[in-house]
Amino acid sequence: MTNRRLIAVDIGNSATKVGWFDFPSKKAAGSLPQPVATKKFKTGDEPAGDFGQSLPLGSCAWHIVSVHRDGTRILTNWITANRPNDVVCLLGHKDLPIEVRVEFPERVGLDRLAAAIAANVIRAADRPAVVIGAGSAITVNLIGANGAFEGGVILPGFRMSAEALYGADLLPLAILSPNDQPPPLLGKNTDDAIRSGLFWGAVGAVREIVTRMSEPLEQEPEIFVTGGDLRQFTQYLGDDATFVPDMVLSGIAVAASRG
């Protein structure tokens, strides 16, 4: 990695997250590089408003992980048109410094692997880790004590589950926003009952998955939670659970620094 400023991009199915980092970065051992600033916009849309003006001046290197091909095409075309001196690197599985122990490594979402790379920086060297992330889906992934990505579980995210219920006659579309406080368990109206089911159902599912993932391990895993939809989750997942913002972007930065 040169001294060019890094722009890390996580293109998800619903949102695109962008963060920029200074290199070489100065950070303590066992800590993640932190973005100087971040932006977010809807995947499939061109960056709008002050996005271009907010980016760093000078030539930058874009390192992109994506699970949305059209979103990738739109963003790379925007970069070519608006930032002709920048370098774009579309990351693939072989670009990420992590062993992937699944049947089809090339099919694992690169965002999941980037978060696992970040977990390998901050977890204790002799302990496994579970990384829980939220976007369109909720993912629960196991990283072994040796740092390998061992696989995981994928659940519908809050929005996806809410839209599935909305397909039923007479049920409203109930929105659970990332900064909302956990809803009361007993909903006193239909909207609140759905929000309760979305939140507490996901908490129960994730807790059960983490418990079952942990059973065959020699040591209890550290638990890292990331993604705006899960900030409120962390307090319900035990004393070893830590919320880590921008974990995917930080993992991209770690991969770039080792490339």
Side-chain angles (χ1 to χ4, degrees), residues 24-159:
S25 60
K26 296 180 180 180
K27 59 184 182 65
S31 64
L32 287 171
Q34 297 298 317
V36 175
T38 61
K39 289 286 186 178
K40 182 178 179 180
F41 55 90
K42 183 180 178 181
T43 294
D45 289 351
E46 271 202 357
D50 65 348
F51 179 79
Q53 289 72 34
S54 67
L55 294 174
L57 299 176
S59 179
C60 295
W62 296 68
H63 284 234
I64 300 173
V65 300
S66 176
V67 297
H68 195 285
R69 288 173 290 184
D70 200 44
T72 304
R73 177 187 59 80
I74 291 169
L75 179 60
T76 54
N77 286 346
W78 183 91
I79 297 169
T80 299
N82 294 275
R83 309 264 310 186
N85 295 322
D86 286 1
V87 175
V88 176
C89 180
L90 300 178
L91 299 178
H93 294 79
K94 294 182 180 179
D95 300 310
L96 300 180
I98 189 168
E99 181 183 1
V100 184
R101 292 182 174 179
V102 300
E103 291 182 3
F104 303 104
E106 70 280 3
R107 297 184 186 177
V108 179
L110 295 174
D111 52 343
R112 296 168 67 193
L113 297 183
I117 290 168
N120 276 336
V121 173
I122 56 179
R123 68 180 177 87
D126 59 345
R127 289 183 66 184
V130 172
V131 178
I132 303 158
S136 298
I138 296 172
T139 62
V140 187
N141 303 302
L142 177 64
I143 295 88
N146 64 354
F149 180 90
E150 298 286 356
V153 176
I154 301 176
L155 311 173
F158 293 146
R159 180 82 188 193

Side-chain angles (χ1 to χ4, degrees), residues 176-191:
L176 188 64
S177 299
N179 293 324
D180 288 350
Q181 289 299 309
L185 180 63
L186 295 177
K188 297 297 186 179
N189 56 64
T190 304
D191 278 39

